[in-house]
Amino acid sequence: MSKLSKSLLGVSLISVLGLAGCTSLGTSNKSTASTDKSKPITVVFYPNESAKSFDGSRTALKKSIEKVTGKTVKLQTTTDYNVAIQAIASGKAQIAYMGANGYIQANHISKDVQPFAAQSDADGGLKNASYNSYLMVQQKDANKYQSNGKYGIKNIKGKKISYVSNSSTSGFLVPTAEITREFKVKDTDTLTQNGKFFSKVLYGGSHQGSAVNLLKGDVDVAAFDDTDLMPYLKVSKGSWTKLGSTFEVKSNAEAPFGNLKGKKVVNIAMMPVQQGPWVYNTKALSKDDQAKITKEFTSKSFADNKEIFSAPNAKTPKLFPKTSAKSQLVKVNDKWYAPTHKLVGY
């Protein structure tokens, strides 16, 4: 945490993420993986994408990989970010879908972990390929975070907060960078300790878990993103891209939101986050399979798969929300993640 703390000090989030327009791509894969057809390919998912609501998307991904490689694919769901990070870094899993922060941590453990695809922007490119990280509060308390009619985080000091995981980009790294900038925090370790900057600090373990901590009243403020909460929350006022919007738990929301239907939250801070990558372990997956999977994931047929990409305003969102007809997965490499590398500190 000490290295991360130093890197976050004084970093301007928006200026850093402004580098995200870089689209220079390169290749540096040195694979020594076996091409043994009998060896299955394991795909590991974060807790967020391990949710039951994404069963159909995970199955569709499995079929796509099996189709192009001719190999059996195993899906590994998790309840802990670090399990996924260690699985891909060690090569026990050959493919993973991760946030930018988790990828950089895995890459720091093993340079064999490399990104190959990420969700595009609405124009089908990388220039604005981002999603939103929020700091939210319960609707009944929202007025406490307003000043001159505008929402902000000036009054969050001393409150109880929930993060997702210290390996989460949008549920930890970006929100703490924003808090550091706003309050000019000199020691960011205090943002994770009870009784320091916040009276209480909790971790939800997933974006869904962090939202539940807020909705149940266990905390006053919670960090989570839009992509992972779209299956459970609907906009009742404003929009997913407007500060001060109100979101309500859907009437058909699945666990862990079943007993929270109708409860409302308001976003008091909204920060852009680089889209997380699909990565593979270049030592544990053959070059041939790397090429086949990259081609498949960035194909038009993959982008048109309704089990993987959900249409705008779909009642049951899939793994990737399709913000426009051009939404797709596009090739990326480590260089594109320079802004998040800078936030993490390596």
Side-chain angles (χ1 to χ4, degrees), residues 186-207:
K186 294 182 179 180
D187 180 6
T188 55
D189 284 341
T190 62
L191 299 180
T192 65
Q193 298 172 16
N194 292 331
K196 297 292 185 178
F197 186 91
F198 293 109
S199 60
K200 186 177 183 180
V201 178
L202 297 180
Y203 292 89
S206 66
H207 288 268

mmCIF file of all heavy atoms in Angstrom, residues 186-207:
data_model
loop_
_atom_site.group_PDB
_atom_site.id
_atom_site.type_symbol
_atom_site.label_atom_id
_atom_site.label_comp_id
_atom_site.label_asym_id
_atom_site.label_seq_id
_atom_site.Cartn_x
_atom_site.Cartn_y
_atom_site.Cartn_z
ATOM 1 N N LYS A 186 -2.204 13.685 2.473
ATOM 2 C CA LYS A 186 -0.763 13.440 2.375
ATOM 3 C C LYS A 186 -0.415 11.971 2.574
ATOM 4 O O LYS A 186 0.592 11.491 2.062
ATOM 5 C CB LYS A 186 -0.021 14.312 3.401
ATOM 6 C CG LYS A 186 -0.125 15.802 3.103
ATOM 7 C CD LYS A 186 0.663 16.619 4.112
ATOM 8 C CE LYS A 186 0.577 18.109 3.782
ATOM 9 N NZ LYS A 186 1.345 18.921 4.767
ATOM 10 N N ASP A 187 -1.205 11.262 3.344
ATOM 11 C CA ASP A 187 -0.951 9.843 3.592
ATOM 12 C C ASP A 187 -2.218 9.070 3.226
ATOM 13 O O ASP A 187 -3.157 9.007 4.019
ATOM 14 C CB ASP A 187 -0.586 9.614 5.058
ATOM 15 C CG ASP A 187 -0.312 8.149 5.370
ATOM 16 O OD1 ASP A 187 -0.294 7.331 4.419
ATOM 17 O OD2 ASP A 187 -0.115 7.818 6.555
ATOM 18 N N THR A 188 -2.257 8.508 2.038
ATOM 19 C CA THR A 188 -3.481 7.844 1.581
ATOM 20 C C THR A 188 -3.789 6.561 2.344
ATOM 21 O O THR A 188 -4.893 6.025 2.228
ATOM 22 C CB THR A 188 -3.406 7.537 0.076
ATOM 23 O OG1 THR A 188 -2.238 6.779 -0.200
ATOM 24 C CG2 THR A 188 -3.384 8.824 -0.726
ATOM 25 N N ASP A 189 -2.828 6.054 3.124
ATOM 26 C CA ASP A 189 -3.131 4.903 3.980
ATOM 27 C C ASP A 189 -4.266 5.239 4.949
ATOM 28 O O ASP A 189 -5.011 4.349 5.367
ATOM 29 C CB ASP A 189 -1.889 4.489 4.777
ATOM 30 C CG ASP A 189 -0.882 3.752 3.920
ATOM 31 O OD1 ASP A 189 -1.276 3.258 2.849
ATOM 32 O OD2 ASP A 189 0.295 3.687 4.305
ATOM 33 N N THR A 190 -4.405 6.524 5.298
ATOM 34 C CA THR A 190 -5.461 6.908 6.238
ATOM 35 C C THR A 190 -6.854 6.695 5.642
ATOM 36 O O THR A 190 -7.832 6.580 6.388
ATOM 37 C CB THR A 190 -5.317 8.385 6.652
ATOM 38 O OG1 THR A 190 -5.462 9.224 5.480
ATOM 39 C CG2 THR A 190 -3.960 8.659 7.276
ATOM 40 N N LEU A 191 -6.940 6.629 4.318
ATOM 41 C CA LEU A 191 -8.244 6.433 3.676
ATOM 42 C C LEU A 191 -8.745 5.002 3.815
ATOM 43 O O LEU A 191 -9.895 4.715 3.476
ATOM 44 C CB LEU A 191 -8.158 6.795 2.188
ATOM 45 C CG LEU A 191 -7.769 8.236 1.856
ATOM 46 C CD1 LEU A 191 -7.735 8.442 0.340
ATOM 47 C CD2 LEU A 191 -8.706 9.229 2.513
ATOM 48 N N THR A 192 -7.898 4.107 4.296
ATOM 49 C CA THR A 192 -8.277 2.700 4.431
ATOM 50 C C THR A 192 -8.323 2.239 5.897
ATOM 51 O O THR A 192 -8.554 1.061 6.157
ATOM 52 C CB THR A 192 -7.281 1.798 3.682
ATOM 53 O OG1 THR A 192 -5.988 1.893 4.295
ATOM 54 C CG2 THR A 192 -7.174 2.208 2.218
ATOM 55 N N GLN A 193 -8.146 3.157 6.817
ATOM 56 C CA GLN A 193 -8.077 2.797 8.234
ATOM 57 C C GLN A 193 -9.253 3.366 9.011
ATOM 58 O O GLN A 193 -9.596 4.541 8.873
ATOM 59 C CB GLN A 193 -6.770 3.304 8.841
ATOM 60 C CG GLN A 193 -5.519 2.706 8.217
ATOM 61 C CD GLN A 193 -4.243 3.355 8.706
ATOM 62 O OE1 GLN A 193 -4.241 4.054 9.714
ATOM 63 N NE2 GLN A 193 -3.145 3.126 8.000
ATOM 64 N N ASN A 194 -9.877 2.532 9.833
ATOM 65 C CA ASN A 194 -10.975 3.000 10.682
ATOM 66 C C ASN A 194 -10.497 4.107 11.616
ATOM 67 O O ASN A 194 -9.418 4.017 12.199
ATOM 68 C CB ASN A 194 -11.533 1.847 11.522
ATOM 69 C CG ASN A 194 -12.237 0.797 10.699
ATOM 70 O OD1 ASN A 194 -12.785 1.093 9.640
ATOM 71 N ND2 ASN A 194 -12.218 -0.450 11.170
ATOM 72 N N GLY A 195 -11.307 5.144 11.741
ATOM 73 C CA GLY A 195 -11.005 6.200 12.702
ATOM 74 C C GLY A 195 -9.984 7.211 12.246
ATOM 75 O O GLY A 195 -9.602 8.080 13.037
ATOM 76 N N LYS A 196 -9.535 7.121 11.020
ATOM 77 C CA LYS A 196 -8.579 8.105 10.494
ATOM 78 C C LYS A 196 -9.369 9.130 9.681
ATOM 79 O O LYS A 196 -10.053 9.967 10.246
ATOM 80 C CB LYS A 196 -7.506 7.418 9.651
ATOM 81 C CG LYS A 196 -6.647 6.440 10.438
ATOM 82 C CD LYS A 196 -5.772 7.163 11.458
ATOM 83 C CE LYS A 196 -4.827 6.185 12.157
ATOM 84 N NZ LYS A 196 -3.930 6.878 13.112
ATOM 85 N N PHE A 197 -9.296 9.086 8.382
ATOM 86 C CA PHE A 197 -10.073 10.008 7.553
ATOM 87 C C PHE A 197 -11.559 9.654 7.642
ATOM 88 O O PHE A 197 -12.418 10.522 7.790
ATOM 89 C CB PHE A 197 -9.602 9.940 6.101
ATOM 90 C CG PHE A 197 -10.246 10.951 5.200
ATOM 91 C CD1 PHE A 197 -9.656 12.191 5.007
ATOM 92 C CD2 PHE A 197 -11.436 10.668 4.556
ATOM 93 C CE1 PHE A 197 -10.261 13.143 4.185
ATOM 94 C CE2 PHE A 197 -12.041 11.609 3.728
ATOM 95 C CZ PHE A 197 -11.452 12.847 3.549
ATOM 96 N N PHE A 198 -11.863 8.346 7.554
ATOM 97 C CA PHE A 198 -13.236 7.858 7.684
ATOM 98 C C PHE A 198 -13.417 7.200 9.051
ATOM 99 O O PHE A 198 -12.482 6.597 9.593
ATOM 100 C CB PHE A 198 -13.557 6.849 6.589
ATOM 101 C CG PHE A 198 -13.582 7.441 5.205
ATOM 102 C CD1 PHE A 198 -12.586 7.143 4.285
ATOM 103 C CD2 PHE A 198 -14.596 8.298 4.815
ATOM 104 C CE1 PHE A 198 -12.598 7.687 3.005
ATOM 105 C CE2 PHE A 198 -14.622 8.849 3.545
ATOM 106 C CZ PHE A 198 -13.623 8.555 2.635
ATOM 107 N N SER A 199 -14.640 7.286 9.591
ATOM 108 C CA SER A 199 -14.887 6.666 10.892
ATOM 109 C C SER A 199 -14.883 5.144 10.795
ATOM 110 O O SER A 199 -14.509 4.452 11.747
ATOM 111 C CB SER A 199 -16.226 7.149 11.458
ATOM 112 O OG SER A 199 -17.304 6.805 10.598
ATOM 113 N N LYS A 200 -15.282 4.639 9.607
ATOM 114 C CA LYS A 200 -15.316 3.191 9.403
ATOM 115 C C LYS A 200 -15.073 2.896 7.934
ATOM 116 O O LYS A 200 -15.572 3.613 7.058
ATOM 117 C CB LYS A 200 -16.676 2.625 9.829
ATOM 118 C CG LYS A 200 -16.780 1.106 9.804
ATOM 119 C CD LYS A 200 -18.149 0.664 10.325
ATOM 120 C CE LYS A 200 -18.286 -0.849 10.386
ATOM 121 N NZ LYS A 200 -19.628 -1.254 10.897
ATOM 122 N N VAL A 201 -14.294 1.849 7.655
ATOM 123 C CA VAL A 201 -13.993 1.456 6.277
ATOM 124 C C VAL A 201 -14.374 -0.003 6.082
ATOM 125 O O VAL A 201 -13.903 -0.883 6.813
ATOM 126 C CB VAL A 201 -12.497 1.648 5.939
ATOM 127 C CG1 VAL A 201 -12.204 1.173 4.513
ATOM 128 C CG2 VAL A 201 -12.091 3.111 6.101
ATOM 129 N N LEU A 202 -15.229 -0.276 5.101
ATOM 130 C CA LEU A 202 -15.629 -1.636 4.764
ATOM 131 C C LEU A 202 -15.246 -1.931 3.318
ATOM 132 O O LEU A 202 -15.042 -1.023 2.523
ATOM 133 C CB LEU A 202 -17.146 -1.823 4.927
ATOM 134 C CG LEU A 202 -17.748 -1.670 6.327
ATOM 135 C CD1 LEU A 202 -19.262 -1.900 6.261
ATOM 136 C CD2 LEU A 202 -17.112 -2.634 7.308
ATOM 137 N N TYR A 203 -15.192 -3.218 2.983
ATOM 138 C CA TYR A 203 -14.964 -3.666 1.610
ATOM 139 C C TYR A 203 -16.091 -4.612 1.225
ATOM 140 O O TYR A 203 -16.371 -5.574 1.946
ATOM 141 C CB TYR A 203 -13.617 -4.369 1.469
ATOM 142 C CG TYR A 203 -12.433 -3.443 1.636
ATOM 143 C CD1 TYR A 203 -11.884 -3.210 2.896
ATOM 144 C CD2 TYR A 203 -11.890 -2.794 0.536
ATOM 145 C CE1 TYR A 203 -10.811 -2.338 3.053
ATOM 146 C CE2 TYR A 203 -10.808 -1.927 0.679
ATOM 147 C CZ TYR A 203 -10.278 -1.698 1.943
ATOM 148 O OH TYR A 203 -9.219 -0.833 2.088
ATOM 149 N N GLY A 204 -16.713 -4.355 0.079
ATOM 150 C CA GLY A 204 -17.832 -5.190 -0.344
ATOM 151 C C GLY A 204 -17.419 -6.481 -1.001
ATOM 152 O O GLY A 204 -18.211 -7.410 -1.109
ATOM 153 N N GLY A 205 -16.157 -6.551 -1.486
ATOM 154 C CA GLY A 205 -15.675 -7.751 -2.170
ATOM 155 C C GLY A 205 -16.043 -7.791 -3.634
ATOM 156 O O GLY A 205 -15.438 -8.508 -4.424
ATOM 157 N N SER A 206 -17.062 -7.020 -4.015
ATOM 158 C CA SER A 206 -17.504 -6.868 -5.399
ATOM 159 C C SER A 206 -18.223 -5.531 -5.474
ATOM 160 O O SER A 206 -18.535 -4.911 -4.448
ATOM 161 C CB SER A 206 -18.447 -8.007 -5.808
ATOM 162 O OG SER A 206 -19.652 -7.931 -5.069
ATOM 163 N N HIS A 207 -18.502 -5.077 -6.701
ATOM 164 C CA HIS A 207 -19.247 -3.820 -6.844
ATOM 165 C C HIS A 207 -20.655 -3.984 -6.289
ATOM 166 O O HIS A 207 -21.182 -3.071 -5.641
ATOM 167 C CB HIS A 207 -19.276 -3.397 -8.312
ATOM 168 C CG HIS A 207 -17.961 -2.898 -8.801
ATOM 169 N ND1 HIS A 207 -17.601 -1.575 -8.766
ATOM 170 C CD2 HIS A 207 -16.888 -3.551 -9.297
ATOM 171 C CE1 HIS A 207 -16.376 -1.427 -9.241
ATOM 172 N NE2 HIS A 207 -15.920 -2.627 -9.558
#
